[in-house]
Amino acid sequence: MSRPRIAVLGTGAQGAGIGADMVRAGHDVTFIDQWPAHVEAMRDGGIEVRMPLETVVTPVDAIHLCEVATLRQPFDIVFVVVKAYDTRWAVELIAPHLAEDGLVVGVQNGMTIDDIAAVVGPERTLGAVIEMASNMFDPGVVTRQNAPADSWFAVGGVHPEAQRRAPEAQQVLSSAGTVEISDDIRSSKWMKLVANAGELVPSAILDLPLYEAVRLEGVHEFMIACGAEAARAALEDGSRLVSIFGIDAAEVGDPDRYAERLLGEVLDKYSLPDTRTTVLQDWMKGRRSEYRELNGLVVDVMRGAGTQAPINARIVELAARIERGELSRDIALLPALLHGDER
């Protein structure tokens, strides 16, 4: 049987590192990205991945989005690693180049499963949870703070047929880390959102690495409370509190305790002193972030249930004002973040 043809659609910090692992494992992988300088750098010198104990340069096949229309051979598995807000158009772009029985795997933050399924059908849609820390500021260069041995993923289908085929994606993705198959991927992705809601945007608002932000007075408790609101939103949305990141199922308790446990796991295993969250990296680059797909989703779900998520709503308001240019990310926003006090 021939090797499956694989595409990584979105080869920024996370996608490039994952794709490079797949290439080194012997898979047939095409990198597709929208940053011209990055595509050219990968073509000229491969992708350089700097990890804690080693730096690896991997030659890769890279194309720009505008070249997708020139492709002739279909892909068997497409790993989508674009920002959550780019999911719909990115999947529409690649759908004509998917094999009839091809799979699309959303390796992203946020609840992007439905956007993917709406384009290619739920029977060909897999969701994934990703837990690894990377950054990219120069084209062709990834700084990956978790080597494959310390990276964790979960995959699962939103339809019985997709779930049956989850091991296909697991086998390929295992090149990049430990991969579990979730029997309820929607709940698993909500659990990742619980962790993201508390950590990603709040630390970015303060313009601090997560490690530094969480040590400010009141911030750790604030992040736990934010995650607890997100856990309640998950329950309101019909999902369950389930084990992710290898947390023992016996430790899955009520929303408050679980939010604290998840945050602790992220801080202990997936955060170094200089780890800047993806939201802060986006703002440093002058780009918009995924705050609407994370904290904004919590607010929307709770509003739909006839209640409120005041902590997440405060985060959304501050993030929106930062992206509009009305505020600057800064530690001086700590009172506004914790108490809504902007004096």
Side-chain angles (χ1 to χ4, degrees), residues 195-263:
N196 285 345
E199 60 169 352
L200 296 189
V201 187
S203 59
I205 288 171
L206 300 174
D207 197 30
L208 292 173
L210 180 59
Y211 186 89
E212 294 181 28
V214 79
R215 281 159 176 76
L216 296 176
E217 184 176 358
V219 171
H220 187 252
E221 294 78 8
F222 175 86
M223 289 181 171
I224 292 171
C226 178
E229 281 187 354
R232 294 187 184 96
L235 296 173
E236 290 288 356
D237 198 47
S239 289
R240 302 176 293 128
L241 302 183
V242 298
S243 175
I244 64 168
F245 305 160
I247 295 174
D248 191 286
E251 298 182 72
V252 178
D254 65 49
D256 296 87
R257 292 203 306 271
Y258 193 38
E260 182 174 7
R261 182 69 177 86
L262 279 176
L263 180 60

Side-chain angles (χ1 to χ4, degrees), residues 111-134:
M111 301 299 291
T112 60
I113 303 172
D114 293 333
D115 285 332
I116 297 172
V119 178
V120 301
E123 72 282 358
R124 297 201 292 172
T125 298
L126 292 171
V129 179
I130 175 173
E131 193 54 42
M132 56 184 276
S134 305

Side-chain angles (χ1 to χ4, degrees), residues 14 53 56 108 128 150 276 313 338:
Q14 305 282 54
L53 299 180
V56 180
Q108 304 160 284
D150 301 313
R276 289 171 170 81
L338 299 185

Side-chain angles (χ1 to χ4, degrees), residues 136-158:
M136 175 184 286
F137 291 96
D138 298 314
V141 180
V142 173
T143 299
R144 179 170 171 177
Q145 295 176 311
N146 309 104
D150 301 313
S151 301
W152 185 92
F153 304 87
V155 296
V158 296

Side-chain angles (χ1 to χ4, degrees), residues 50-297:
R50 300 171 180 172
M51 292 178 283
L53 299 180
E54 64 176 339
T55 294
V56 180
V57 178
T58 306
V60 298
D61 294 325
I63 67 171
H64 188 269
L65 286 179
C66 67
E67 297 174 295
V68 168
T70 68
L71 296 172
R72 293 294 178 265
Q73 297 298 314
F75 294 110
D76 300 297
I77 307 177
V78 175
F79 292 91
V80 178
V81 204
V82 299
K83 295 294 182 181
Y85 51 71
D86 283 334
T87 302
R88 184 63 182 253
W89 69 258
V91 178
E92 291 279 11
L93 175 75
I94 205 66
H97 306 281
L98 189 65
E100 288 187 10
D101 61 347
L103 295 171
V104 177
V105 189
V107 190
Q108 304 160 284
N109 291 327
M111 301 299 291
T112 60
I113 303 172
D114 293 333
D115 285 332
I116 297 172
V119 178
V120 301
E123 72 282 358
R124 297 201 292 172
T125 298
L126 292 171
V129 179
I130 175 173
E131 193 54 42
M132 56 184 276
S134 305
N135 63 68
M136 175 184 286
F137 291 96
D138 298 314
V141 180
V142 173
T143 299
R144 179 170 171 177
Q145 295 176 311
N146 309 104
D150 301 313
S151 301
W152 185 92
F153 304 87
V155 296
V158 296
H159 182 280
E161 174 60 17
Q163 183 69 7
R164 182 185 68 80
R165 298 182 61 195
E168 297 176 36
Q170 180 191 36
Q171 192 274 328
V172 176
L173 193 55
S174 64
S175 308
T178 299
V179 185
E180 298 180 7
I181 293 181
S182 170
D183 62 1
D184 183 354
I185 193 61
R186 191 178 296 276
S187 291
S188 294
K189 287 187 70 63
W190 257 114
M191 295 306 96
K192 176 64 188 300
L193 195 149
V194 169
N196 285 345
E199 60 169 352
L200 296 189
V201 187
S203 59
I205 288 171
L206 300 174
D207 197 30
L208 292 173
L210 180 59
Y211 186 89
E212 294 181 28
V214 79
R215 281 159 176 76
L216 296 176
E217 184 176 358
V219 171
H220 187 252
E221 294 78 8
F222 175 86
M223 289 181 171
I224 292 171
C226 178
E229 281 187 354
R232 294 187 184 96
L235 296 173
E236 290 288 356
D237 198 47
S239 289
R240 302 176 293 128
L241 302 183
V242 298
S243 175
I244 64 168
F245 305 160
I247 295 174
D248 191 286
E251 298 182 72
V252 178
D254 65 49
D256 296 87
R257 292 203 306 271
Y258 193 38
E260 182 174 7
R261 182 69 177 86
L262 279 176
L263 180 60
E265 192 74 8
V266 170
L267 293 172
D268 290 344
K269 294 185 178 179
Y270 303 102
S271 178
L272 297 177
D274 62 343
T275 298
R276 289 171 170 81
T277 68
T278 180
V279 173
L280 181 52
Q281 291 181 48
D282 286 336
W283 286 349
M284 291 171 69
K285 298 171 186 175
R287 298 178 55 178
R288 70 187 179 102
S289 71
E290 297 171 309
Y291 77 89
R292 293 186 184 278
E293 289 75 22
L294 300 172
N295 304 84
L297 179 61

Side-chain angles (χ1 to χ4, degrees), residues 290-340:
E290 297 171 309
Y291 77 89
R292 293 186 184 278
E293 289 75 22
L294 300 172
N295 304 84
L297 179 61
V298 174
V299 174
D300 291 344
V301 168
M302 295 302 273
R303 183 184 297 121
T307 186
Q308 297 181 333
I311 296 173
N312 281 271
R314 191 184 309 152
I315 292 169
V316 168
E317 175 60 22
L318 288 171
R321 294 185 65 187
I322 288 171
E323 293 202 358
R324 291 197 300 263
E326 298 172 5
L327 293 174
S328 297
R329 61 184 195 273
D330 195 278
I331 194 173
L333 291 176
L334 182 60
L337 181 67
L338 299 185
H339 310 295

